[in-house]
Amino acid sequence: MTGLPQQLVARVAALPPRRQERVQDIGLAVALAAVNVVSLLPYRAQLHPLWLALVLVAAQGIPLAWRRAGPVGTMIVIGAARIAYDRIGFGFAPLPLGPAIAFYTVIDRRSAVWRWITIAAVAAGVTISLTSPGGDRNEPYEAIFQAMIFATAWAAGVLNRTKRANLEAAESRAEHAEAELDRHAIREAAAERARIARELHDVVAHHVSLMAVQAEAATSLLPDKPAQARRSVEIIGDTARLALTELRRLLGVLRGPSERLETAPSASLGDIGGVLDQVRGAGLPVDLEVVGTPGPLAPGVDLTAYRIVQEALTNTIRHARADRAVVTLCYEPGYITVTVADSGPRRDGPPSGRPRRNGNGSAAVKPGSLIAGSGLGLAGIAERVASCGGNLTVGPTQSGGFAVTARLPAL
């Protein structure tokens, strides 16, 4: 038998919350009605008619099975049964636990209007019961005792209502916080996709452009200059292998957790010599000038500066009839300025449709804007510079060439 109550408790605990409340209310109603009925049995000889007394005390417990669904209706039924029992004057009355529990439920679950109406109704009902004939209900302690019972029920209802309101507010805040985390995760994923797209564009555009130039050179050199054509083909192979290496490193972040990750470091200005050698091998002489003392750079800024040089030189090869280019790295306290200038002119004509120009005719580029005739490269550079909190200007130079200048915070 000791296991039966435990099994019942386990089954109730497994029910949904609303079903649990229903079962609890039914159990409370049956238990209180049984207690009221049993409490009358020692006085059954004094109760006339006995059946009516039993019905009225049972009616003070059974309606509690619906106390959450209809608190006001439950209070009315139980209160009416209690007043009727006292007015008949049976001489003995059980404790007003049923009315007190119903009163507590109204205070806990109904609006302020219903709460005040119920308080007034309870005060009137207690007064009627205390002035009923029979027994010792006219004694002062009886009034104090019942006042304490209903005051305790009122306090419990207020406390439980406040607790439930605080819990609902906490759940609401948790839901809002979770939704905000989801939105943040979506924004972070979108930013990461944009970053990967920029990296892919820069890597593929640079190396494929070099391969295209060398392929055209090899075609023009065959069959008159086979040695030089062979060198162009070798450069194409080397460039393709470098492109594959960078693509493997970049796409390593997209691998699943069970796959082996690439551990090669990200590109930086320390590797800029390789880019310059590739561009020189493609037939464009390029010089590197370093102004100031090189200092430490944040990893993101270092990669951004590297990609700016790479993409700007790629654009020069693709869009300019230049015979020389110059890369300038200017270090100053807290900043680095990267400038890539060529001798021009542009094959696709001067850029047009720029939002505003500065003194030398260059244009300040807004992040995400697309300059006419420049493809996606300058838009990607603008996005990179904006992500680092820097400034970007692009446009023709006084000598007829084209320049890209980015000023980036060092850290």
Side-chain angles (χ1 to χ4, degrees):
M1 294 299 293
T2 56
L4 182 58
Q6 296 178 353
Q7 294 177 5
L8 292 176
V9 171
R11 290 188 178 184
V12 172
L15 294 174
R18 290 188 179 275
R19 294 289 299 276
Q20 289 185 26
E21 292 178 350
R22 182 65 172 164
V23 172
Q24 292 170 3
D25 290 344
I26 292 174
L28 174 64
V30 173
L32 185 57
V35 169
N36 286 346
V37 169
V38 171
S39 66
L40 292 186
L41 295 182
Y43 306 94
R44 58 182 179 272
Q46 305 173 18
L47 303 175
H48 302 287
L50 178 60
W51 65 270
L52 180 57
L54 296 178
V55 169
L56 291 177
V57 294
Q60 296 176 41
I62 294 297
L64 291 176
W66 295 274
R67 70 184 186 92
R68 298 180 205 259
V72 176
T74 301
M75 184 71 206
I76 292 173
V77 173
I78 292 180
R82 179 70 184 197
I83 292 174
Y85 184 90
D86 290 338
R87 293 302 298 174
I88 292 174
F90 285 107
F92 170 82
L95 293 175
L97 296 180
I101 294 174
F103 177 63
Y104 153 82
T105 306
V106 174
I107 298 299
D108 179 30
R109 294 182 173 268
R110 282 297 174 259
S111 64
V113 174
W114 281 112
R115 293 199 297 269
W116 284 110
I117 293 175
T118 303
I119 290 173
V122 167
V126 170
T127 301
I128 294 173
S129 294
L130 291 176
T131 57
S132 299
D136 54 357
R137 298 190 183 92
N138 293 323
E139 295 293 335
Y141 77 86
E142 183 69 19
I144 296 174
F145 180 70
Q146 294 212 20
M148 291 178 59
I149 290 178
F150 284 100
T152 302
W154 173 84
V158 170
L159 291 175
N160 196 61
R161 186 177 71 251
T162 303
K163 177 182 177 182
R164 189 172 62 254
N166 292 337
L167 181 60
E168 291 174 354
E171 291 177 350
S172 178
R173 289 193 298 269
E175 290 176 357
H176 286 306
E178 185 176 358
E180 181 59 30
L181 286 176
D182 291 340
R183 288 191 291 270
H184 179 72
I186 292 173
R187 290 194 297 268
E188 289 293 324
E192 183 66 12
R193 286 195 296 269
R195 185 192 69 80
I196 293 174
R198 289 194 298 267
E199 288 285 301
L200 282 173
H201 171 269
D202 292 350
V203 170
V204 173
H206 174 73
H207 292 293
V208 172
S209 295
L210 293 181
M211 287 189 290
V213 170
Q214 293 299 327
E216 292 174 357
T219 301
S220 64
L221 292 173
L222 288 175
D224 298 333
K225 298 180 180 179
Q228 297 179 9
R230 179 177 180 180
R231 176 56 184 163
S232 295
V233 173
E234 291 175 351
I235 292 176
I236 292 174
D238 293 340
T239 304
R241 283 188 288 272
L242 287 174
L244 288 174
T245 299
E246 288 205 51
L247 286 175
R248 289 193 188 100
R249 178 192 60 77
L250 177 61
L251 297 178
V253 299
L254 303 179
R255 293 176 181 270
S258 61
E259 300 179 66
R260 183 177 60 87
L261 297 178
E262 297 290 341
T263 57
S266 299
S268 67
L269 286 178
D271 306 318
I272 201 67
V275 175
L276 301 183
D277 291 340
Q278 289 179 334
V279 174
R280 292 172 185 138
L284 176 64
V286 57
D287 298 326
L288 174 64
E289 297 181 0
V290 179
V291 180
T293 303
L297 300 175
V301 174
D302 204 355
L303 176 60
T304 296
Y306 175 90
R307 292 301 185 199
I308 289 172
V309 174
Q310 185 183 57
E311 181 61 26
L313 291 175
T314 301
N315 284 344
T316 299
I317 293 174
R318 295 172 60 186
H319 300 294
R321 299 185 182 93
D323 55 12
R324 180 165 294 276
V326 177
V327 176
T328 304
L329 304 179
C330 181
Y331 292 90
E332 54 185 303
Y335 289 91
I336 179 175
T337 301
V338 181
T339 302
V340 180
D342 61 61
S343 58
R346 307 276 291 182
R347 287 195 183 96
D348 46 9
S352 60
R354 297 183 184 146
R356 59 181 184 275
R357 299 178 181 274
N358 42 30
N360 61 1
S362 64
V365 180
K366 293 182 178 180
S369 63
L370 184 62
I371 298 178
S374 66
L376 294 175
L378 286 177
I381 290 176
E383 291 176 354
R384 285 184 179 278
V385 173
S387 68
C388 293
N391 298 316
L392 174 68
T393 56
V394 298
T397 63
Q398 295 180 352
S399 62
F402 194 81
V404 175
T405 302
R407 189 168 186 265
L408 307 173
L411 298 175

